[in-house]
Amino acid sequence: MKLTMAQALVGWLIAQRSETLDGREVPLFPAVFAIFGHGNVLGLGTALQERSAEIPVWRGHTEQGMALAAVGLAKATHRRQVGIATSSIGPGALNMVTAAGVAHANRLPLLLLPGDTFTSRAPDPVLQQVEHFGDPTVTVNDAFRAVSRYFDRITRPEQLIATLPQAARVLTDAADVGPVTLALPQDVQAETYDFPEALFEPVVHRVTRARPDLRVVAEAADALRSAQRPLLILGGGVRYSGAGRLVLEFAERHGIPITETTAGRTLVPHDHPLFTGPLGVTGSTSANTAAAQADLVLAIGTRLQDFSTASWTVFAPDVRLVTINTARFDAVKHGALAVVGDADATMRELAAHLTNWRVDAEWSTRAEELRTTWDTHIDKLRAPTPGTPSYAQIVGIVNELSAPDDYVMTASGGMPGELIGGWRATGTVPTMDVEYGFSCMGYELAGAWGAAMAHVHGLVTTMLGDGSYLMLNSELFSAAFAGHRFVAVVCDNDGYAVIARLQEGQGGEPFNNFYADCRTNHPRPPRVDFVGHARSLGCAVFTATDLVEFRGAYARARAAALGESRPAVVVVRTQPSTWTEAGAWWEVGVPEHLSGRAAYDESKSRQVRHLNG
């Protein structure tokens, strides 16, 4: 088939299919987010226009925002579908590097198709081209190498035949998943080649179930049997494997308490008797207490990031660590007994070794006792008070008014601690996306657009502060224009409040975080009219100044989003210094002359550096 390189690429994209966790066949690439420029408008843009009935193309308004929307789509589909983002060469391409970092850190699939400079070099230097004096092969797209799992520059059309299967491998491989960047020189996009018809045959990509080494599984079973106080930690890998129900049944059969990482949140119903609460700095004192008392930790599908481990101070010094992960890179960390395999397949193998074993009932019942204490604490934080609401109170109302299949999101600032620590899941499928692998300000709105495309049954609510809103809000208009619905709760507390808390809590002077502590030459600095701004972007907008008003405003926003198929924004003033605290340590560099250094040194001495070794 004689096609341009761009036509062949689009034809291949359309032919790729995916099997969801419940067995349905869907497009692997359900959406393309595009901003066209001279580097992609005629080659790839023309090819997409010719097949636009078969692969939807959505117009973005910032390259970073639309690529983040693609990331949000992938997370909401549990990595079973992949969003695509394309831009021209130059600033448009570089704007997507941040989104690639988000996908890379969170192990999420993302396909980036930035335009690139001419391979012929005949018109060099062209608009938006940087020139490296010693290496003419380097372009701005080489910046993607550090944040891509797979990178290629297509300098001849026929290279697609070899590289596309590799791209598909990375986008669908549970162990190696992450962003793929295919840089597309604009002259090569328009070149033709006789492509084999087989390249465009439909292919269905299914969940891979890597089996563990049975000898290592037996070792893990022996370790569990010898434990008196084991604890299960459920991470994002449990979600992506679809193993949530299986792992919960395993815990019930053996009486093992459970906790969740950030990526694993909402896998377990909150009121389950074995659920200790979420783990770590943004988790709960209940789960952290259980982790400190556990003599063995079975961590499933998690890379054990510092916020989950409290910078490795949450566990007892002599704890035994067993990990189950599809990626050996993650499984072998921290001297763990590494079981490499899919969560679902591995837990089935492990269960076969533990048929008659059960934890002492006193340890099993400890989970609910601890979580009940945490619940009482959260109830107090959520209790109505007059005046300006706190984050915990806002989260409590959203939690109360949400349906079991609704979806809640956040990414940065103080809100992750409130959602991770305070949210109470009521359903049986994961319903939360806290982007805390990269903690990208602005993901809250852009990612919600992508999640709304995928989450067609329930309603998406994204929660963010005023800082994140100002960082990246363009995709509110993109979603409104496209007709995708979600609710955005914008909490205005006059600045970067959570960083101010970190700064001042360690003895630093208030500086450059709250507006009141920032330099200005204006005698009366302006305030942002979030209401007017969001309305100008095509959103339905509601406001609140206290809890009673917020309850009504959020209810009306939900109705507006569902009824009008567009984003609805609730703007509410919130307290700048009231937070949900889990009592765990997070390591940040503290200068010796600040008052927080003594506490830093004490916590550093409790840090578990080499588990099992």
Side-chain angles (χ1 to χ4, degrees), residues 9-18 26-33 48 54-58 70 73 77 80-85 109-113 164 167-172 178 180 182 203 205:
L9 174 58
V10 171
W12 179 85
L13 294 172
I14 293 169
Q16 306 310 297
R17 309 290 292 173
S18 178
V26 295
L28 179 61
F29 302 105
V32 179
F33 299 88
L48 287 168
E54 299 164 272
I55 184 166
V57 177
W58 302 100
L73 185 154
T77 61
R80 293 299 166 267
Q81 292 184 289
V82 182
I84 303 170
L110 169 66
L111 179 57
L112 297 172
L113 303 175
L164 290 178
R169 170 188 61 82
V170 173
L171 294 170
T172 60
V180 169
L182 300 181
V203 176
H205 301 272

Side-chain angles (χ1 to χ4, degrees), residues 71 74-75 78-81 99-110 147 149 170-179 236-237 240 263 301-305 325-331 333 435-438:
V71 175
K75 181 67 174 286
H78 316 302
R79 300 199 308 207
R80 293 299 166 267
Q81 292 184 289
V102 170
H104 198 289
N106 290 281
R107 316 293 168 86
L108 292 169
L110 169 66
V147 285
R149 288 283 188 186
V170 173
L171 294 170
T172 60
D173 186 336
D176 199 32
V177 67
Y240 303 134
T302 172
R303 62 196 182 110
L304 293 173
Q305 184 213 31
N325 210 296
T326 56
R328 182 174 292 278
F329 178 89
D330 292 315
K333 290 176 179 176
E435 193 289 284
Y436 225 40
F438 219 50

Side-chain angles (χ1 to χ4, degrees), residues 156-522:
R156 292 181 60 86
E158 59 267 36
Q159 290 174 350
L160 286 179
I161 300 170
T163 205
L164 290 178
Q166 297 299 327
R169 170 188 61 82
V170 173
L171 294 170
T172 60
D173 186 336
D176 199 32
V177 67
V180 169
T181 301
L182 300 181
L184 307 177
Q186 63 169 299
D187 52 346
V188 180
Q189 291 178 44
E191 291 179 9
T192 58
Y193 182 76
D194 289 324
F195 288 93
E197 293 185 7
L199 185 65
F200 312 109
E201 293 285 336
V203 176
V204 180
H205 301 272
R206 295 182 171 86
V207 179
T208 55
R209 302 290 185 192
R211 304 287 172 177
D213 186 305
L214 296 183
R215 294 167 300 180
V216 182
V217 172
E219 287 184 55
D222 289 342
L224 272 171
R225 270 192 295 265
S226 65
Q228 301 297 311
R229 299 177 304 281
L231 179 69
L232 292 184
I233 300 178
L234 310 189
V238 177
R239 170 180 180 166
Y240 303 134
S241 173
R245 188 179 298 277
L246 175 70
V247 174
L248 190 57
E249 291 173 354
F250 177 90
E252 292 168 344
R253 188 178 307 116
H254 303 294
I256 308 176
I258 312 167
T259 183
E260 298 170 328
T261 69
T262 298
R265 280 295 277 126
T266 67
L267 280 163
V268 182
H270 180 79
D271 60 358
H272 194 283
L274 289 172
F275 185 51
T276 65
L279 183 68
V281 178
T282 51
S284 60
T285 56
S286 52
N288 293 342
T289 300
Q293 296 173 354
D295 60 356
L296 181 140
V297 166
L298 176 57
I300 311 171
T302 172
R303 62 196 182 110
L304 293 173
Q305 184 213 31
D306 63 341
F307 262 80
S308 294
T309 66
S311 297
W312 289 97
T313 61
V314 77
F315 303 118
D318 58 348
V319 69
R320 183 79 187 276
L321 179 62
V322 180
T323 58
I324 295 174
N325 210 296
T326 56
R328 182 174 292 278
F329 178 89
D330 292 315
V332 302
K333 290 176 179 176
H334 306 288
L337 172 58
V339 186
V340 180
D342 168 72
D344 183 281
T346 302
M347 291 304 294
R348 292 181 189 277
E349 298 283 1
L350 184 61
H353 287 263
L354 298 167
T355 51
N356 298 317
W357 171 76
R358 188 170 176 84
V359 173
D360 186 276
E362 185 177 349
W363 177 244
S364 301
T365 57
R366 181 76 171 135
E368 192 165 27
E369 293 171 1
L370 289 170
R371 198 197 69 247
T372 299
T373 302
W374 178 251
D375 287 349
T376 301
H377 174 63
I378 295 296
D379 288 340
K380 291 179 180 177
L381 295 179
R382 288 183 171 187
T385 55
T388 305
S390 69
Y391 271 20
Q393 291 170 327
I394 295 296
V395 167
I397 290 176
V398 172
N399 201 169
E400 179 186 340
L401 297 183
S402 294
D405 59 349
D406 285 349
Y407 196 74
V408 65
M409 304 177 62
T410 194
S412 62
M415 192 56 74
E418 307 299 326
L419 275 186
I420 298 167
W423 191 265
R424 294 170 178 175
T426 58
T428 58
V429 295
T431 54
M432 181 182 290
D433 176 6
V434 176
E435 193 289 284
Y436 225 40
F438 219 50
S439 188
C440 179
M441 295 181 71
Y443 175 81
E444 297 94 335
L445 293 175
W449 180 27
M453 291 185 185
H455 207 73
V456 295
H457 300 297
L459 181 64
V460 174
T461 293
T462 186
M463 308 185 72
L464 65 155
D466 52 302
S468 283
Y469 183 96
L470 290 174
M471 190 76 73
L472 190 63
N473 50 59
S474 303
E475 272 28 81
L476 273 177
F477 176 71
S478 300
F481 182 85
H484 294 119
R485 65 192 189 192
F486 60 85
V487 176
V489 176
V490 180
C491 298
D492 181 7
N493 56 21
D494 272 345
Y496 302 140
V498 74
I499 294 300
R501 174 180 60 160
L502 174 63
Q503 181 183 60
E504 296 172 43
Q506 298 299 322
E509 293 295 324
F511 179 63
N512 207 51
N513 285 310
F514 284 119
Y515 290 123
D517 304 318
C518 296
R519 182 173 188 151
T520 176
N521 293 323
H522 201 296

Side-chain angles (χ1 to χ4, degrees), residues 75-138:
K75 181 67 174 286
T77 61
H78 316 302
R79 300 199 308 207
R80 293 299 166 267
Q81 292 184 289
V82 182
I84 303 170
T86 180
S87 74
S88 186
I89 185 63
L94 288 178
N95 281 346
M96 300 194 296
V97 171
T98 298
V102 170
H104 198 289
N106 290 281
R107 316 293 168 86
L108 292 169
L110 169 66
L111 179 57
L112 297 172
L113 303 175
D116 212 327
T117 55
F118 287 79
T119 58
S120 70
R121 303 182 192 167
D124 287 5
V126 299
L127 179 68
Q128 299 179 323
Q129 179 178 354
V130 300
E131 296 179 277
H132 288 259
F133 293 178
D135 188 350
T137 67
V138 173

